[in-house]
Amino acid sequence: MRIGVLALQGAVREHIRHIELSGHEGLPIKKVEQLNEIDGLILPGGESTTLRRLMSLYGFDKALADSDLPIFGTCAGLIVLAKDIVGEAGYLSKLDISVERNSFGRQVDSFESELVIKGVADDIEGVFIRAPHIAEVYGNAQILSEVEGKIVAVKQDQYLGVSFHPELTDDYRVTSYFIDEIVAKHKKASA
Ligand code: GLN
């Protein structure tokens, strides 16, 4: 399958590497026209205010609003996918969740934790960098993982969102799960 990584900001190359390790083709996406060439899209981490601004500037907000393309958001990408952002307006609103930014405290800007992720594995190393957490889940969003009592991974239909950075380790099982389970299922259903 062909999986795009939104290449406006963030760790694009690392995500492409995980896509390739999963046995699929990874493409950096810079223009909305390229969305027609892919089966799924990854929104990388970075800074979600900048990411939202760049996405609007290049028309990705409108293009994705009208699309049923499967999307995997990591960290800032999760914030972009959420229906509600605490204290701010939601953006793509694909996941029925509310997220809170920078919610693991000021002292610990980043930390790692071994995660149990439902349907994926029970030993995934999560790298959290000024990470958001999912404050509330409603509608059809399903909780896949929690750490310190905070929700850090959710899935809803063809959308997947995690608070951490899977691309920063050598373990590509979360990316494989997105492609081989979520994208594959969506492709089959819409064929
Ligand atoms: N703190 C960032 C934000 O709120 C997200 C951090 C990240 O993607 N690593 O946008």
Side-chain angles (χ1 to χ4, degrees):
M1 271 181 288
R2 304 183 87 190
I3 305 297
V5 180
L6 188 68
L8 302 179
Q9 198 217 22
V12 177
R13 207 175 322 150
E14 289 82 351
H15 274 297
I16 290 191
R17 190 173 144 257
H18 273 207
I19 294 165
E20 290 171 350
L21 287 168
S22 302
H24 299 278
E25 190 184 343
L27 279 100
I29 302 295
K30 293 193 162 137
K31 293 185 181 148
V32 287
E33 296 77 54
Q34 292 176 279
L35 294 174
N36 300 322
E37 301 164 14
I38 53 176
D39 301 302
L41 178 69
I42 295 178
L43 302 178
E47 209 285 313
S48 60
T49 307
T50 310
L51 190 57
R52 280 176 275 171
R53 203 172 38 197
L54 290 172
M55 285 178 74
S56 296
L57 188 66
Y58 291 98
F60 281 98
D61 51 344
K62 290 191 186 71
L64 291 173
D66 299 334
S67 151
D68 66 348
L69 189 69
I71 307 177
F72 175 23
T74 64
C75 205
L78 162 76
I79 297 169
V80 166
L81 275 183
K83 184 163 276 174
D84 294 307
I85 304 169
V86 173
E88 298 172 61
Y91 192 68
L92 290 183
S93 301
K94 299 284 190 187
L95 284 172
D96 288 334
I97 57 169
S98 148
V99 289
E100 191 173 333
R101 297 174 63 189
N102 306 321
S103 54
F104 284 92
R106 280 175 197 279
Q107 298 91 329
V108 256
D109 262 2
S110 59
F111 66 97
E112 290 176 25
S113 182
E114 192 175 275
L115 306 172
V116 177
I117 304 182
K118 214 170 165 179
V120 183
D122 57 6
D123 59 346
I124 298 281
E125 186 187 345
V127 180
F128 295 80
I129 305 168
R130 291 185 60 73
H133 85 285
I134 296 147
E136 219 184 313
V137 167
Y138 25 82
N140 295 321
Q142 185 193 339
I143 299 170
L144 299 185
S145 185
E146 292 181 56
V147 67
E148 294 174 12
K150 288 177 170 166
I151 305 163
V152 295
V154 290
K155 166 188 183 296
Q156 180 177 349
D157 306 318
Q158 70 270 40
Y159 305 109
L160 177 68
V162 303
S163 295
F164 54 96
H165 285 264
E167 79 285 3
L168 297 182
T169 71
D170 288 331
D171 186 346
Y172 53 91
R173 287 177 294 175
V174 182
T175 304
S176 290
Y177 170 79
F178 171 64
I179 305 171
D180 296 328
E181 297 292 329
I182 297 180
V183 178
K185 196 182 272 178
H186 179 77
K187 197 171 172 154
K188 212 167 148 190
S190 44

